[in-house]
Amino acid sequence: MSKFKFSVGPWNVHTGADSYGPETRKPVDLETKFAKFAELGFSAVQFHDDDAVPDMNNMTVEEIKEYARGVKKLLDKYGLAAEFVAPRLWMDPHTVDGGFMSRKKEDRDFALWRALRSIDIANELGAKFLVLWLAREGTLCAESLDPAWATKQLVEAINEMLRYDSKIRVAIEPKPNEPVDRSVCGTMGHVMAVSAATIDPSRVGGNLESAHAVLAGLDPTNEIGFALAFDKLYTVHLNDQNGLKFDQDKSFGVENLRSAFNQVRILSKYNYGSKGEYVGLDVKAMRTTSDEDGYEHLKNSLAIFKALEAKVEKYDEEYANKLIAQRKYEQLEMYVLNLLMGIE
Ligand code: GLO
Ligand code: MG
């Protein structure tokens, strides 16, 4: 029995298309996904604004809220909560060259409109915060954007969100690249600095994704720990990543089990979840996966997380501390590896 509650986004059950090939699985409707999420043991759903309200660009504010209320009923039917809403600022013609940092005022206004509507949707669904994955906030051509100006645009956009709703919180999900070449806000350190510059730092935190930390050449556990130290880890996107290449969103723990163990360990050590935080997954099924196996990556990620929780329970802190005091790090390393390999 896990002491954590888990969340997942509808985009994590997907049709398998990649940059070089078409879809390989049939689309699945939202209600079928909800039913399956509940059956697998998830407690909450993460949303893009248009996962909840698909045609929102062509709807009035009242119509958007009304539609979101319907989605809330569907969540209730399956006993699921809504964790967060994320404005999807990377698919629309208005966001070809970014959202909050777009060079065009009209497109920045659109991005802000989507963020404010995301707050409306969050309120209807009962979600407590927004996630900002800053997909295109950076450059493809290095000289095309002034990073100082761009950072200020981001701070000002977040200030608008904080002003719009006195309760809403904002979690930035940093990523160093992809789909842009160089992002403006690539690590948890950037997130903390942006938070500090807003009008209410107590409502701006982060969402650490394991794969994004690896892409930045950083250790996911240290990134998680950094945010925890400032009490600003609003959620996590656990997954895995094989080195520096495209963002893979592999099942949690399948590439680097020791790193996964350490991520579970730090979350557990600092009682992550005690303020209602969810352990969020952001994992993709392999392209070769069949329709009937379209949830296997979610099942596997949960199973691996829970198995590592049991390993964390077994981890002998006293013994480890003794080794640390004596600087016997070779022995400590072997102790951890033996624990993971099941060698007593
Ligand atoms: C992509 C991101 C993406 C976001 C999601 C929520 O690299 O991880 O999956 O987490 O769109 O905004
Ligand atoms: Mg993510």
Side-chain angles (χ1 to χ4, degrees), residues 1-6 305-306 309:
M1 182 60 188
S2 176
K3 67 173 179 178
F4 295 97
K5 287 186 300 174
F6 299 89
F305 186 97
K306 289 174 186 171
E309 242 187 291

Side-chain angles (χ1 to χ4, degrees), residues 9 11-12 46-49 51 84-90 131-135 171 173-175 177-179 207 209 211-212 215 237 239 247-249 281-284:
W11 64 89
N12 288 144
Q46 318 163 1
F47 288 91
H48 293 126
D49 50 0
D51 290 326
F84 65 71
V85 178
R88 199 197 303 256
L89 299 179
W90 52 95
V131 159
L132 303 181
W133 171 47
L134 304 168
E173 179 181 334
K175 184 177 182 184
N177 62 280
E178 201 205 23
N207 172 15
E209 174 159 327
H212 297 182
L215 286 173
H237 265 176
N239 56 18
D247 184 10
Q248 297 179 305
D249 295 336
L281 299 179
D282 196 0
V283 291
K284 277 203 190 89

Side-chain angles (χ1 to χ4, degrees), residues 160-193:
E160 288 296 332
M161 296 169 217
L162 299 174
R163 280 187 202 108
Y164 180 73
D165 184 309
S166 62
K167 294 227 160 48
I168 199 74
R169 291 183 292 133
V170 175
I172 302 174
E173 179 181 334
K175 184 177 182 184
N177 62 280
E178 201 205 23
V180 289
D181 178 21
R182 298 168 168 88
S183 100
V184 167
C185 187
T187 69
M188 218 20 111
H190 292 84
V191 172
M192 295 303 117

Side-chain angles (χ1 to χ4, degrees), residues 83-136:
E83 186 191 15
F84 65 71
V85 178
R88 199 197 303 256
L89 299 179
W90 52 95
M91 297 296 271
D92 196 274
H94 277 294
T95 57
V96 169
D97 200 18
F100 309 123
M101 302 177 189
S102 174
R103 289 52 155 186
K104 270 197 191 156
K105 166 96 171 68
E106 163 195 344
D107 293 342
R108 293 199 296 281
D109 290 346
F110 170 81
L112 188 61
W113 185 85
R114 287 284 292 249
L116 300 186
R117 296 299 73 75
S118 295
I119 297 175
D120 296 336
I121 295 169
N123 286 335
E124 296 301 338
L125 298 181
K128 302 280 184 285
F129 62 97
L130 298 190
V131 159
L132 303 181
W133 171 47
L134 304 168
R136 299 192 191 282

